[in-house]
Amino acid sequence: GAGVSQSPSNKVTEKGKDVELRCDPISGHTALYWYRQSLGQGLEFLIYFQGNSAPDKSGLPSDRFSAERTGGSVSTLTIQRTQQEDSAVYLCASSLFGVHTGELFFGEGSRLTVL
Amino acid sequence: GENVEQHPSTLSVQEGDSAVIKCTYSDSASNYFPWYKQELGKRPQLIIDIRSNVGEKKDQRIAVTLNKTAKHFSLHITETQPEDSAVYFCAQWAGGTSYGKLTFGQGTILTVHP
C-alpha cells in the first residue's frame, strides 16, 4: 500500500475483554514501531521490531500487552483483559532501516475506548 | 537511559514572531534527532532532523540546532503563521544496545494567533 494502514480505526470494548490491533507497514520497511497516545498526551513507546532481531519490548506497560510481527510485515498488538486506563490512540509506524536512521511513517491510529 | 525532556509544554505566539522549543536528552550514544509535527486529529509527520555530525540545519522557516556537549537540541520557527499551530515532538534515536528505538519528548502545543 501507499502508506501505513491500521485497523480497526475505532474500537469500543468492555473492561476485561481482549482486543487486537493490526498494522500493515509500508512495503519494504524493515522497522515497525508501536506507540500509545492518550488524550492530549505525548507519544509513549511500546515496542519496536527490526528485521529478524528480537523485538525491543521495553515500553510495554504490563504483561497484558503483547505484539508480534509475522513474516517481517504485518504486526498485531494484543491487549488482554483490557482496563479503562488502556483507552488511547495506538499508533503504528514503519521505517526503512539501514546503516543510517530513517523517517518514521505513521498510520492513522486505532482509537481504543474501554468502557 | 533514553529520556527526552521537552520544554515548554505550551507556547503561544503572535503571527510573525519566532518560536523556540528545547529538548534535553540523556543517551550520549544517540546520534540522530528528528522533530515531528502533529496537527489536530492527524498523524505525526517528520518536519526536520539533525545528525550528530552537524550543529545546525535549516529548511526555509524552520531550523534545528544541536549541542552534543550539553546534550540538548532546539527547534526554531521564524515568521510563524497560523498553520504552524500544532503539537511538536522532539525525539532521540537510541544508540548502543537499544539502537533503533525512537523515544519522543512530551510534546509542545504551539498556538500562533493571527
Side-chain angles (χ1 to χ4, degrees), chain A residues 50-62:
Chain A
Q50 165 48 23
N52 296 320
S53 303
D56 183 332
K57 306 179 181 179
S58 59
L60 294 178
S62 76

Side-chain angles (χ1 to χ4, degrees), chain A residues 33-50:
Chain A
Y33 302 76
W34 283 98
Y35 291 88
R36 178 168 70 175
Q37 188 169 35
S38 301
L39 186 62
Q41 300 299 308
L43 298 165
E44 178 189 3
F45 171 82
L46 297 178
I47 189 168
Y48 153 60
F49 297 88
Q50 165 48 23

Side-chain angles (χ1 to χ4, degrees), chain A:
Chain A
V4 177
S5 178
Q6 291 188 245
S7 61
S9 55
N10 272 289
K11 176 70 176 180
V12 180
T13 190
E14 294 179 346
K15 177 182 174 181
K17 301 282 189 180
D18 296 352
V19 296
E20 284 189 353
L21 308 176
R22 176 189 168 102
C23 174
D24 201 341
I26 293 172
S27 178
H29 280 193
T30 57
L32 187 147
Y33 302 76
W34 283 98
Y35 291 88
R36 178 168 70 175
Q37 188 169 35
S38 301
L39 186 62
Q41 300 299 308
L43 298 165
E44 178 189 3
F45 171 82
L46 297 178
I47 189 168
Y48 153 60
F49 297 88
Q50 165 48 23
N52 296 320
S53 303
D56 183 332
K57 306 179 181 179
S58 59
L60 294 178
S62 76
D63 58 8
R64 295 186 297 105
F65 289 72
S66 63
E68 64 177 20
R69 188 178 185 192
T70 54
S73 181
V74 172
S75 176
T76 302
L77 176 68
T78 301
I79 309 173
Q80 296 179 310
R81 305 182 302 280
T82 52
Q83 304 293 314
Q84 289 183 332
E85 59 263 29
D86 299 335
S87 296
V89 175
Y90 289 81
L91 288 163
C92 174
S94 70
S95 177
L96 186 60
F97 195 94
V99 174
H100 300 292
T101 52
E103 176 179 357
L104 262 62
F105 293 86
F106 284 85
E108 297 279 8
S110 291
R111 181 177 298 278
L112 174 66
T113 303
V114 182
L115 302 177

